[in-house]
Amino acid sequence: MTAAADHADLVRHAYDAFNTRDIDAAVKLMAEDVVWPNVSDGGFVHGPDELREHWREQFEAVDPRLELLGIEALGDGRLRASVRQVVRSSQGEPVSDERLNHVYSIGHGRIERMEIEK
């Protein structure tokens, strides 16, 4: 299997863990110095502990689900994942339904950074 295929599998596993709310499994896929967008407050969270707390807070406030539509290898070693993001309130009411791109940097078999492109 190629590095790009291995990286795509890693990203797929991350979405599976996120959607099943298996935060610990998702965090195990991240580098120790992971940089992740802070979707509620802006900026980024840094490291597995901040990411774990960010997701716990996010899942208490809303119910986001990400449908992976495709993964594209970019020329610089990064991956772009096209996703449909459906967010519901904690009461189940629709909040948003949009398509966007997540761009991943991966090194040493772990996700090092994710950025959101709208």
Side-chain angles (χ1 to χ4, degrees):
M1 200 182 292
T2 67
D6 287 344
H7 293 173
D9 283 345
L10 177 66
V11 169
R12 283 187 195 92
H13 290 303
Y15 284 111
D16 289 345
F18 181 89
N19 283 328
T20 60
R21 305 301 186 249
D22 191 345
I23 294 173
D24 290 331
V27 168
K28 286 180 184 176
L29 303 173
M30 308 297 157
E32 283 299 314
D33 58 350
V34 65
V35 177
W36 199 268
N38 184 331
V39 296
S40 56
D41 299 326
F44 290 89
V45 296
H46 301 271
D49 292 337
E50 284 186 19
L51 180 55
R52 184 180 286 110
E53 184 60 26
H54 168 68
W55 278 336
R56 283 189 182 128
E57 289 173 2
Q58 184 180 18
F59 297 152
E60 286 176 8
V62 293
D63 180 21
R65 299 290 168 167
L66 297 165
E67 177 187 351
L68 182 59
L69 303 173
I71 298 177
E72 167 190 13
L74 303 176
D76 58 5
R78 296 178 302 152
L79 294 178
R80 177 182 289 127
S82 299
V83 299
R84 176 179 178 213
Q85 177 180 275
V86 177
V87 179
R88 296 187 176 279
S89 71
S90 57
Q91 293 79 32
E93 297 295 320
V95 173
S96 67
D97 185 340
E98 61 185 333
R99 291 176 191 253
L100 41 91
N101 294 317
H102 294 161
V103 178
Y104 292 92
S105 298
I106 298 171
H108 306 290
R110 298 282 184 256
I111 296 171
E112 296 178 334
R113 183 179 184 92
M114 193 272 270
E115 298 176 70
I116 300 172
E117 293 180 343
K118 289 193 178 185

